[in-house]
Amino acid sequence: MKSQSSPSTANTNAGNPLGIAPTGRLLAKFAIPAIISMLVNALYNIVDQIFIGQGVGMLGNAATNIAFPVTTISTAAALLLGIGGASNYNLEMGAGRERKASEIAGSALSTLVIIGTAIAAAILIFLKPLLIFFGATDNVMPYAIDYVGIIAIGLPFFTLSVGGNHLIRADRSPTYSMVCTLTGAIINTILDPLFIFGFKWGIKGGAWATVIGQFISAMLVVLYFAKFRHMHLERNMFKPQLIHLKAISSLGLASCINQIAIGAVQIVMNNTLRYYGASSVYGSDIPIACVGIVSKVNMVFLAICIGIAQGAQPIWGFNYGAKKYDRVRQAYRYSATACTIIAIFFFLCFQIFPHQIISMFGGGSDLYFKFAENYLRIFMLLTFANGIQPMSSGFFTSIGKAGLGIIMSLTRQVIFLLPLIIIFPMFMGIDGVMYAGPIADAAAFVLAVVFARRELGKMKKA
């Protein structure tokens, strides 16, 4: 049975469009900017990889792949605080507790800067040992040192930009959030060819272009909370409070773990490819370079699905907090449909145009293209079912079901894919890595559907 909202909650909810506007229109309003923002974040890596591949070559591509765990670790921290802060903010606003919601947002923003600076310092201090751990070969190491040594400088700006934009969307400004990330990406895209080809800085140029773009995005986030915010923020609210950080971490942990899992899989995969590639016809450098490209291409697909979930997050969270479960269920159905349509489109692209996709990132030998095309087709074979799992993880987090969100985050990467990319190559050699992907995708899809149907069924009864 639905419980009655308090008078203060009812007054807060009455004029909020999240609780009364048509769900489909709301989802489009919030999801489209979120998708663009996520695509822009993905393009930071992809644009670098394209220009570096064209200007530096295969070893440059391999170096950006080695650097990928740095990005995922930083993104994990940003999502822990950004999604956790935004989810708690919307739940508290839906329940009519405006001051507590603002205190949560302030704690999240200040901690984003602190944790980004700490990650940057750790990477710079332990740079070479970390790159060896990430799977760098002797040939790739000089390029990886140049690239990672520079992008580490921009990590405080990166974490503030990624995490802060979730709070901006929660504050009902999805378009401004989109502008923040889009501006940084445009600057990065302009500076990449200028620095790499014009100034002949090579892979260092790509890194500096990325840092400058991230700095601009972060400054726009600061400007929003200084001048344009809707939420009420006082100076003392920016002091991190442990009680709020616990709540933030609880609801942000699923997305954080998902990113850490992606980074862990990438590290294990790089080392697996380095080991088994050495005894194959491809060598170690070709598989590491190719897998990096496929990971970046897959980021585009995942960015759209995660963007849909992020756009739906304020709708799910506010209406769940306001006990409007019919609107929560409707928003989930719309989100799942959109993710499935996108997944089918990318599945067709990966199966029909693998050579064209790989060629965007520079040329290579016949062996290079043979491995890359086979890997893209086989590893991404179940892409058409891959949209539901990341979207459902965001759904459970948004409605305060942190445990289910964490389980959803762990299924594909940790529970299924990580063991498979260790076990399969023992029997199939380097090809075993390819076949681990679709099996992990199938298992994660089944679990996501089962858990989502159960939770939506509970809401229907309520």
Side-chain angles (χ1 to χ4, degrees), residues 127-213:
L127 182 58
K128 191 168 181 179
L130 281 173
L131 294 177
I132 294 171
F133 177 65
F134 293 161
T137 65
D138 291 339
N139 292 331
V140 174
M141 181 62 76
Y143 296 92
I145 288 175
D146 286 344
Y147 188 74
V148 178
I150 294 171
I151 65 168
I153 298 170
L155 293 180
F157 309 116
F158 176 73
T159 54
L160 177 59
S161 175
V162 174
N165 275 299
H166 287 283
L167 291 161
I168 291 174
R169 280 193 295 274
D171 196 37
R172 293 176 289 151
S173 298
T175 303
Y176 188 97
S177 172
M178 176 186 69
V179 170
C180 289
T181 49
L182 189 58
T183 302
I186 292 171
I187 291 171
N188 181 40
T189 304
I190 293 171
L191 294 180
D192 257 327
L194 176 64
F195 290 173
I196 294 172
F197 301 109
F199 294 173
K200 301 187 185 302
W201 289 355
I203 198 168
K204 292 182 179 180
W208 279 118
T210 299
V211 170
I212 293 171

Side-chain angles (χ1 to χ4, degrees), residues 414-438:
V414 174
I415 298 174
F416 300 123
L417 185 58
L418 192 58
L420 292 176
I421 61 176
I422 295 172
I423 295 169
F424 277 20
M426 295 178 182
F427 305 99
M428 304 172 66
I430 199 168
D431 289 347
V433 176
M434 301 182 191
Y435 291 96

Side-chain angles (χ1 to χ4, degrees), residues 56-295:
V56 180
M58 185 188 73
L59 292 178
N61 275 331
T64 60
N65 182 34
I66 296 301
F68 191 52
V70 173
T71 303
T72 56
I73 291 168
S74 303
T75 303
L79 296 184
L80 175 72
L81 296 163
I83 289 181
S87 297
N88 277 282
Y89 177 83
N90 286 124
L91 286 169
E92 296 298 336
M93 288 294 289
R97 295 185 284 268
E98 183 177 352
R99 182 173 182 83
K100 183 177 179 182
S102 298
E103 289 176 351
I104 288 170
S107 289
L109 284 167
S110 57
T111 310
L112 279 166
V113 178
I114 295 169
I115 199 167
T117 303
I119 293 171
I123 289 171
L124 290 172
I125 292 170
F126 303 105
L127 182 58
K128 191 168 181 179
L130 281 173
L131 294 177
I132 294 171
F133 177 65
F134 293 161
T137 65
D138 291 339
N139 292 331
V140 174
M141 181 62 76
Y143 296 92
I145 288 175
D146 286 344
Y147 188 74
V148 178
I150 294 171
I151 65 168
I153 298 170
L155 293 180
F157 309 116
F158 176 73
T159 54
L160 177 59
S161 175
V162 174
N165 275 299
H166 287 283
L167 291 161
I168 291 174
R169 280 193 295 274
D171 196 37
R172 293 176 289 151
S173 298
T175 303
Y176 188 97
S177 172
M178 176 186 69
V179 170
C180 289
T181 49
L182 189 58
T183 302
I186 292 171
I187 291 171
N188 181 40
T189 304
I190 293 171
L191 294 180
D192 257 327
L194 176 64
F195 290 173
I196 294 172
F197 301 109
F199 294 173
K200 301 187 185 302
W201 289 355
I203 198 168
K204 292 182 179 180
W208 279 118
T210 299
V211 170
I212 293 171
Q214 291 167 349
F215 173 78
I216 298 299
S217 292
M219 292 304 100
L220 289 173
V221 170
V222 172
L223 181 64
Y224 176 84
F225 287 104
K227 298 290 184 181
F228 306 124
R229 67 182 186 269
H230 296 107
M231 66 177 66
H232 175 72
L233 281 175
E234 300 170 5
R235 183 174 296 182
N236 64 334
M237 291 179 177
F238 289 100
K239 181 180 179 180
Q241 297 186 44
L242 183 60
I243 188 171
H244 294 328
L245 290 177
K246 286 181 178 179
I248 290 168
S249 298
S250 173
L251 295 188
L253 193 59
S255 298
C256 174
I257 288 175
N258 190 45
Q259 287 295 315
I260 291 174
I262 290 171
V265 168
Q266 195 69 37
I267 292 168
V268 173
M269 187 174 290
N270 286 344
N271 283 283
T272 300
L273 294 170
R274 180 173 62 180
Y275 178 79
Y276 289 99
S279 58
S280 73
V281 295
Y282 305 110
S284 296
D285 294 329
I286 285 177
I288 289 175
C290 293
V291 170
I293 291 172
V294 174
S295 296

Side-chain angles (χ1 to χ4, degrees), residues 38-54:
M38 286 299 300
L39 283 173
V40 168
N41 286 328
L43 287 174
Y44 271 121
N45 290 291
I46 291 173
V47 168
D48 273 353
Q49 185 121 20
I50 290 174
F51 284 116
I52 288 170
Q54 298 287 347

